[in-house]
């Protein structure tokens, strides 16, 4: 499903509404809400809105668990940290128990850190393939999502739930959820804004490119719902918008 929005503010507001709706549905049905956040710049406004009325009062923070779809292996205080951005924009402003915030940490080697996060998921999802209630994703202009980059071996990973990825142009490692975990989610929402995403969005939505070239094409939830929240600039090359 594609939701066309005027601009990033509208994308962010709809995204916040979806988070609130899925949070209450999950808590009602399963007693808790598991949400994996995206990094990047696009979702920051969504996180800010979730910290403000009405959303801060609509979400059952005390029954929510926050995870990340990916993270750069940098200190949490580093401006590149996805967890750092989410804490500043949202998590430091709402009454979520600290022990229910689960950042991807790279205290040990990237490989060991990936293994440690997988162990955390194993514990919190009772050993089953994690089924997040909601995963928020962004879309890179090169077709990546989370830290699933074009032509990377991680795209074909079917066993591990969390993988380390070396990003040469950043000169650092990242951790990312793998495709099987993302596709197990109940709901996956892409937030896409800006004219720089127009070309790749058209490829993803209106053609069938090689998913190794456009990894976002690998995101096809098994049983769950996939939603695209796109603004006018990002949708400007789509045939139907
Ligand atoms: O950690 C990250 O950077 C994200 O997980 C990454 O996948 C992001 O969603 C895209 O690069 C889009 O980023 P923008 O929202 O900044 O365009």
């Amino acid at each position: 499903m594609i939701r066309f929005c005027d601009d990033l503010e509208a994308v962010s507001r709809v995204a916040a509404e979806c988070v609130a709706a899925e949070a209450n549905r999950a808590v009602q049905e399963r007693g808790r809400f598991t949400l994996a956040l995206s990094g990047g710049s696009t979702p920051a406004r969504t996180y800010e809105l979730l910290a403000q009325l009405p959303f801060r009062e609509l979400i059952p923070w005390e029954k929510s668990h926050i995870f990340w779809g990916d993270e750069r292996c940098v200190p949490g205080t580093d401006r590149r940290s996805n967890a750092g951005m989410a804490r500043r924009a949202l998590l430091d402003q709402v009454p979520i128990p600290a022990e229910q915030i689960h950042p991807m940490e790279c205290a040990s080697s990237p490989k060991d850190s990936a293994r440690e996060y997988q162990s955390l998921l194993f514990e919190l999802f009772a050993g089953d393939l994690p089924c997040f209630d909601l995963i928020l994703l962004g879309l890179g202009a090169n077709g990546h999502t989370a830290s699933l980059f074009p032509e990377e071996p991680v795209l074909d990973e079917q066993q591990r739930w969390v993988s380390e990825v070396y990003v040469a142009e950043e000169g650092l490692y990242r951790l990312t959820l793998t495709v099987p975990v993302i596709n197990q989610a109940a709901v996956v929402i892409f937030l896409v804004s800006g004219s720089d995403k127009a070309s790749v969005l058209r490829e993803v939505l209106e053609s069938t490119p090689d998913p190794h070239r456009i990894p976002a094409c690998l995101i096809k939830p098994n049983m769950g719902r996939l939603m695209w929240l796109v603004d006018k600039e990002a949708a400007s090359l789509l045939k139907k918008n």
Side-chain angles (χ1 to χ4, degrees):
M1 173 199 173
I2 305 171
R3 185 79 179 263
F4 296 103
C5 304
D6 282 343
D7 52 23
L8 176 57
E9 183 69 17
V11 164
S12 306
R13 183 157 293 279
V14 173
E17 290 165 358
C18 292
V19 171
E22 294 308 323
N24 285 284
R25 186 200 319 269
V27 167
Q28 194 172 354
E29 292 175 1
R30 289 178 292 282
R32 74 173 185 180
F33 174 48
T34 55
L35 168 63
L37 298 178
S38 170
S41 58
T42 304
R45 182 60 182 146
T46 300
Y47 302 163
E48 291 171 356
L49 289 175
L50 289 171
Q52 298 166 12
L53 292 175
F55 300 106
R56 64 175 288 118
E57 300 290 329
L58 294 176
I59 292 172
W61 299 108
E62 73 287 350
K63 294 182 177 175
S64 299
H65 285 257
I66 305 296
F67 304 81
W68 275 265
D70 72 328
E71 181 60 278
R72 295 158 175 81
C73 286
V74 294
T77 52
D78 187 300
R79 60 174 177 73
R80 295 168 295 178
S81 165
N82 291 342
M85 183 271 271
R87 286 184 190 279
R88 287 190 298 277
L90 170 58
L91 301 174
D92 290 349
Q93 334 287 335
V94 294
I96 184 168
E99 65 273 16
Q100 292 174 201
I101 299 173
H102 310 290
M104 290 178 162
E105 294 177 330
C106 296
S108 39
S109 73
K111 197 174 197 67
D112 287 345
S113 300
R115 196 174 293 128
E116 285 155 19
Y117 204 72
Q118 174 153 337
S119 298
L120 171 72
L121 296 180
F122 190 89
E123 180 191 327
L124 289 172
F125 288 90
D128 295 330
L129 179 64
C131 175
F132 287 96
D133 295 308
L134 174 58
I135 297 180
L136 298 179
L137 293 175
L139 177 66
N142 66 352
H144 83 266
T145 190
S147 286
L148 301 168
F149 288 92
E151 312 304 340
E152 286 287 341
V154 67
L155 301 183
D156 298 315
E157 177 60 58
Q158 293 300 315
Q159 303 308 317
R160 297 171 71 192
W161 299 349
V162 184
S163 177
E164 71 286 353
V165 177
Y166 183 69
V167 183
E169 56 264 29
E170 294 178 348
L172 53 81
Y173 274 93
R174 294 190 184 193
L175 300 184
T176 188
L177 295 182
T178 57
V179 173
V181 173
I182 297 173
N183 282 339
Q184 186 68 0
V187 181
V188 177
I189 300 179
F190 276 93
L191 282 62
V192 190
S193 168
S195 56
D196 61 320
K197 308 294 175 71
S199 173
V200 68
L201 187 64
R202 176 179 55 183
E203 281 208 82
V204 173
L205 297 182
E206 296 186 345
S207 69
T208 50
D210 172 4
H212 285 85
R213 189 172 62 79
I214 308 277
C217 295
L218 292 167
I219 307 308
K220 297 180 173 25
N222 306 319
M223 306 287 284
R225 284 183 290 127
L226 175 61
M227 188 188 295
W228 291 84
L229 302 182
V230 303
D231 70 5
K232 274 186 178 154
E233 286 189 355
S236 58
L237 297 179
L238 297 182
K239 281 197 285 289
K240 39 194 179 300
N241 76 41

